[in-house]
Amino acid sequence: MIQPDRVVRSTCPYCGVGCQVDLYVKDDHIYRVEAPFDAAPNYGMLCVKGRFGMDYVTHPSRLRKPLIRTNTDEPRSVPSVWREASWEEALDLVADKLAGIVRQYGGDSIATYACAKATNEDNYLFQKFVRAVLGTNNVDHCARLCHAGSVTGLQLAIGSSAMSNSIAEMEHLDTFIVTGSNTTETHPVISNFLKRAVRKNGATLIVIDPRRVEMTEYATLWLRQKPGSDVALWQAMAHVVVKEKLYNEDFVNERTEGFAEYVESLEHATPEWAEAITGVPAGDIRRAARLYAKAKAAAIYWGMGISQSTHGTENTLAIANLALMCGHLGRPGTGLNPLRGQNNVQGCSDSGGLPNVFTAYQRVDDEATRQKFEQAWGGVRLNPTPGLTVTEMVDGALAGAIKAMYVMGENPLMSEPNLNHARHALEELDFIVCQDIFINETGAIADVILPSASFAEKDGTFTNSDRRVQRVRKVIAPIGESRPDWEILCDLAKRVETRLGFETSAGWEYGHPAEIWDEMRRVTPAFQGITYERLEREGGVHWPCPAEDHPGTPYLFEEGFPRGRGKFWPLELNRERELPDEEYPFILSTGRVLYHWHGGTMTRRSRLDDIWPEAIVEMHPDDAGTLGLQTGDWVKVSSRRGQITLRVLVTGRSPAGTVFIPFHFAEAAANVLTLNEVDPRAKIPGYKVCAVRVEKTAPPEGREGLDVPLVDRGAIKDMAEQIH
Ligand code: SF4
């Protein structure tokens, strides 16, 4: 039995559930991970990623020293040649380049990616550096690519975009809807609480999803709508609620506006009308509407199936309309809950990693707010114009308006849609700097790579999907010469300030992330009551928490909505931008699998890659039969934007006519195929629907005769549950 040198409590670095982990360390190596049974939000549970996926931290390919690209006279399409550099040299080079670009073209010619995997403190300093030193609001992050549709829709409807409810409420649910979320694989521990609600409480679960996700096995009712037809379905449910007078009249009168106009817009939206569009039987739509509306308390949970759409805002508004009408908000077990993806995507947004807001959604174009931040940051003048979103940054690079890109811990060359377009755009840039723990696909074309410390090598906080701020603790020393992001940023900010001749320093002297958090909460009313001392004592606190004697807010909207009254939004039915035709006859949908995480930068450098080592395309047995394909056959999947080669997994999980490809695998990157059309308001791309063709092909070079049988790993029972 190994005796640990120490056991350190921290927060899982993978998904937004924010599970608490006890990390067992021997000789600066994490050799075991346990879940404390007495700690929220996971109470002893972990999924396979949290339990077995931490070995990436000490993977041999971790960056140990800063790297500088030497073949800068060649185009970026030529593989980079690197040399190691000292921190002094690398930071001086980055500072020279960024200051030079600011002087020549202005700060708005620089685009930056904050990081949904880094801490709140890292991200607060990142946006401070971008705004106060570079002079631009061009800061955004991958929230744009996962939940921007939810954020925009919820802001319009109620003025707040975070989850309404806490994870702790889940197992006591009465009735709930899960839509556009393969919760078992994307938020495994949350799925366990939801399943418990069904098994132990007898809760009513309605699943609305085109895929036969595992949650359908627990559902009272499963509505299998055609991909992209969500708005029609939700409108028809609202129609039923109105016609059968099931709405909550008191709630509508006291807490909402625009109901009469909305009701008028629903007249045509009968269940029969929706059946023709969605493929869901009208009787099932009526039943779902009645179950939801008549429940004592009902909550709605959704994932990227709702938000990652060119009409993600409308999808969210349609859901919010139904919840407002039924009065299922402002009480435990009611609410609107977008399940956030990355471990700290909520925190990165809360910390100001967005182009239009400072911390906790305080607008950059509001004069009084800007003055508050100018004063807090040493008297700098701040730019009043909201910046570019990540999708606009890519287009800006192609158009020549963006000259440089600073990417902290993200990987646009895996996460952007239409990757060939994105790659072409980024190759046009004058200067790219990546700050990361590994060289990923974006780092491979960067001019400078700054090695940062992983979550296990630094202190700070993450904010999970239910707004719970929790501690991240240093467990081992930084690998090689890597440094915490916040330290790198302080060092760099001072250098750029000097080169730009700043008279007043915005202040870049911090001894510990706790000091950064204290600065952050001083300028953010919603965080003011959360201190590091309190987090040590209580384990976590839900914001808003305006004072140190305030208990935090596990569920929202008891008293009212941030926008005042909840607003009903009449909706038009939007069609998908690209639908199947003779040439490209299948709908492609993309998403995650249990064993991998997003662009695969971490999980593909972990033992998890042994369990699920390659990309697959899921295909319905009817379609596979028509094309003469069997599980394990190699196919070429093409769209109007590119093609990839991978193996087929024949399964009834996706409906006939739809194929599904996980987006974790660089060698068969699903986003080569996806469409870079965006929701006009949220600017989120429609990753869930585009048209593709599938053709049998020969194995790629090096794979001939080497293939192991493909196992339907998705059918393996949820490991989180087995472990618990
Ligand atoms: Fe980590 Fe999410 Fe799994 Fe919990 S459910 S162990 S936070 S990946």
Side-chain angles (χ1 to χ4, degrees):
M1 183 82 172
I2 300 171
Q3 282 305 311
D5 295 337
R6 55 196 172 278
V7 180
V8 182
R9 175 78 47 91
S10 194
T11 303
C12 176
Y14 281 110
C15 91
V17 181
C19 292
Q20 294 300 285
V21 286
D22 283 339
L23 301 171
Y24 286 66
V25 180
K26 182 80 179 169
D27 298 335
D28 263 359
H29 190 88
I30 301 166
Y31 71 93
R32 178 174 164 189
V33 182
E34 292 289 339
F37 277 83
D38 57 351
N42 47 315
Y43 293 105
M45 285 188 284
L46 289 176
C47 82
V48 66
K49 290 183 286 288
R51 183 83 66 180
F52 301 116
M54 301 294 186
D55 47 337
Y56 76 89
V57 167
T58 44
H59 191 272
S61 66
R62 274 290 302 274
L63 286 161
R64 286 160 189 274
K65 286 176 81 73
L67 298 174
I68 293 177
R69 183 169 177 260
T70 57
N71 55 333
T72 47
D73 50 342
E74 296 188 284
R76 292 189 196 278
S77 51
V78 174
S80 298
V81 179
W82 305 99
R83 70 173 171 81
E84 291 185 344
S86 68
W87 273 104
E88 288 290 306
E89 184 189 7
L91 288 175
D92 278 341
L93 174 60
V94 175
D96 284 343
K97 289 284 188 184
L98 293 181
I101 289 169
V102 170
R103 271 197 303 268
Q104 192 174 352
Y105 303 105
D108 285 340
S109 65
I110 299 176
T112 70
Y113 284 69
C115 177
K117 300 216 81 61
T119 62
N120 291 321
E121 293 76 3
D122 294 331
N123 281 298
Y124 172 78
L125 284 197
F126 187 78
Q127 56 93 41
K128 177 177 169 179
F129 167 61
V130 171
R131 295 189 155 109
V133 180
L134 301 182
T136 180
N137 289 309
N138 288 345
V139 53
D140 202 5
H141 69 287
C142 66
R144 183 71 46 199
L145 306 176
C146 62
H147 265 300
S150 313
V151 169
T152 307
L154 289 176
Q155 287 289 345
L156 289 169
I158 53 179
S160 167
S161 52
M163 269 176 72
S164 316
N165 303 103
S166 66
I167 293 168
E169 288 160 61
M170 288 177 177
E171 58 183 316
H172 309 294
L173 288 168
D174 169 41
T175 296
F176 62 108
I177 297 177
V178 174
T179 182
S181 163
N182 181 7
T183 323
T184 313
E185 302 201 46
T186 58
H187 299 80
V189 167
I190 279 183
S191 83
N192 279 359
F193 288 121
L194 295 177
K195 289 177 203 168
R196 266 191 210 170
V198 174
R199 281 194 306 233
K200 295 193 175 164
N201 280 2
T204 301
L205 164 62
I206 302 163
V207 173
I208 302 177
D209 205 300
R211 288 183 83 214
R212 186 189 290 273
V213 292
E214 201 210 4
M215 291 303 288
T216 60
E217 292 174 22
Y218 296 78
T220 304
L221 187 60
W222 172 29
L223 309 186
R224 191 175 206 180
Q225 84 280 32
K226 290 180 185 159
S229 66
D230 305 73
V231 169
L233 185 63
W234 293 93
Q235 293 277 78
M237 285 170 67
H239 176 100
V240 173
V241 171
V242 169
K243 290 295 173 195
E244 298 188 8
K245 299 203 178 343
L246 300 175
Y247 53 91
N248 183 331
E249 205 168 343
D250 290 346
F251 189 94
V252 167
N253 289 339
E254 287 161 22
R255 298 193 54 179
T256 70
E257 64 189 35
F259 185 59
E261 195 189 348
Y262 180 55
V263 167
E264 209 173 300
S265 78
L266 286 176
E267 195 54 40
H268 68 287
T270 63
E272 286 71 22
W273 165 84
E275 178 175 337
I277 298 165
T278 63
V280 177
D284 285 352
I285 297 173
R286 285 197 170 85
R287 196 169 158 221
R290 289 168 191 153
L291 285 171
Y292 177 77
K294 289 180 179 175
K296 281 200 300 289
I300 305 175
Y301 299 89
W302 69 89
M304 298 193 293
I306 290 297
S307 61
Q308 282 188 330
S309 162
T310 50
H311 42 90
T313 303
E314 278 80 5
N315 290 347
T316 306
L317 286 170
I319 293 172
N321 284 338
L322 185 69
L324 285 171
M325 168 182 291
C326 297
H328 284 322
L329 283 157
R331 290 172 288 128
T334 65
L336 293 164
N337 298 288
L339 298 168
R340 308 306 294 261
Q342 297 274 14
N343 57 315
N344 199 34
V345 70
Q346 181 67 51
C348 184
S349 302
D350 300 345
S351 305
L354 294 169
N356 58 338
V357 288
F358 298 106
T359 54
Y361 314 96
Q362 303 173 83
R363 296 191 62 88
V364 298
D365 55 7
D366 179 76
E367 177 78 31
T369 301
R370 222 171 37 254
Q371 279 175 5
K372 178 174 81 172
F373 279 87
E374 286 174 349
Q375 211 170 6
W377 292 349
V380 289
R381 292 286 296 161
L382 294 171
N383 187 333
T385 310
L388 300 178
T389 62
V390 292
T391 39
E392 291 168 335
M393 290 173 191
V394 171
D395 291 338
L398 198 59
I402 296 297
K403 303 292 181 192
M405 202 169 260
Y406 195 130
V407 184
M408 180 171 82
E410 300 232 341
N411 188 6
L413 289 188
M414 275 295 280
S415 57
E416 285 290 320
N418 190 357
L419 277 178
N420 290 333
H421 164 80
R423 175 171 292 278
H424 181 51
L426 265 60
E427 284 176 358
E428 296 296 306
L429 290 164
D430 292 351
F431 186 65
I432 304 174
V433 53
C434 286
Q435 186 169 309
D436 215 306
I437 61 174
F438 296 110
I439 303 182
N440 58 29
E441 288 66 29
T442 310
I445 65 163
D447 295 282
V448 179
I449 302 185
L450 304 174
S452 54
S454 78
F455 91 107
E457 297 144 41
K458 63 185 175 187
D459 285 298
T461 55
F462 291 157
T463 306
N464 78 347
S465 191
D466 74 351
R467 299 170 281 101
R468 185 179 159 92
V469 181
Q470 306 183 120
R471 277 298 312 274
V472 177
R473 294 184 180 85
K474 184 174 172 176
V475 183
I476 59 171
I479 300 288
E481 294 180 19
S482 66
R483 301 171 67 189
D485 292 291
W486 65 270
E487 274 189 32
I488 300 170
L489 291 164
C490 288
D491 232 356
L492 180 63
K494 286 184 272 189
R495 283 171 156 85
V496 180
E497 277 192 341
T498 306
R499 283 159 177 78
L500 290 175
F502 275 38
E503 286 175 17
T504 53
S505 169
W508 298 97
E509 303 295 341
Y510 303 94
H512 188 272
E515 294 169 18
I516 304 169
W517 176 262
D518 279 342
E519 178 179 313
M520 193 169 157
R521 69 190 186 96
R522 278 198 296 275
V523 290
T524 314
F527 305 153
Q528 254 158 26
I530 305 175
T531 64
Y532 266 47
E533 292 74 27
R534 209 173 150 183
L535 294 178
E536 286 301 324
R537 232 177 21 248
E538 299 177 28
V541 180
H542 293 92
W543 69 259
C545 180
E548 288 185 36
D549 58 357
H550 187 283
T553 314
Y555 68 91
L556 298 173
F557 317 132
E558 188 169 4
E559 305 294 334
F561 300 114
R563 79 172 296 283
R565 284 173 171 259
K567 183 170 165 53
F568 288 98
W569 289 78
L571 299 168
E572 295 290 323
L573 197 61
N574 287 302
R575 299 285 175 186
E576 292 300 324
R577 306 286 170 84
E578 188 180 73
L579 286 168
D581 54 22
E582 270 187 24
E583 204 181 349
Y584 296 97
F586 292 101
I587 290 175
L588 166 68
S589 185
T590 67
R592 286 182 247 162
V593 299
L594 176 64
Y595 305 93
H596 281 288
W597 189 252
H598 285 228
T601 305
M602 290 152 58
T603 49
R604 299 216 66 200
R605 291 174 173 89
S606 121
R607 290 174 281 191
L608 298 170
D609 201 49
D610 296 339
I611 306 174
W612 192 301
E614 65 174 299
I616 49 95
V617 51
E618 276 184 16
M619 180 168 251
H620 192 273
D622 294 351
D623 296 327
T626 305
L627 295 177
L629 293 169
Q630 294 181 340
T631 288
D633 285 347
W634 284 93
V635 289
K636 185 171 75 179
V637 183
S638 327
S639 74
R640 291 182 175 82
R641 293 153 293 282
Q643 63 180 52
I644 58 175
T645 302
L646 67 177
R647 290 204 285 167
V648 171
L649 177 65
V650 179
T651 162
R653 208 169 296 135
S654 292
T658 296
V659 296
F660 173 85
I661 301 178
F663 47 54
H664 315 294
F665 302 91
E667 64 276 21
N671 282 327
V672 166
L673 307 170
T674 50
L675 184 64
N676 55 323
E677 293 274 348
V678 298
D679 176 307
R681 285 184 279 200
K683 311 290 182 192
I684 186 170
Y687 290 106
K688 297 293 183 189
V689 177
C690 73
V692 297
R693 184 169 62 230
V694 181
E695 300 157 282
K696 194 166 185 175
T697 191
E701 216 179 305
R703 292 297 301 264
E704 306 91 344
L706 290 178
D707 293 329
V708 290
L710 252 185
V711 179
D712 183 356
R713 297 171 186 88
I716 298 170
K717 268 292 192 192
D718 176 16
M719 288 182 76
E721 202 162 22
Q722 290 174 19
I723 288 161
H724 191 49

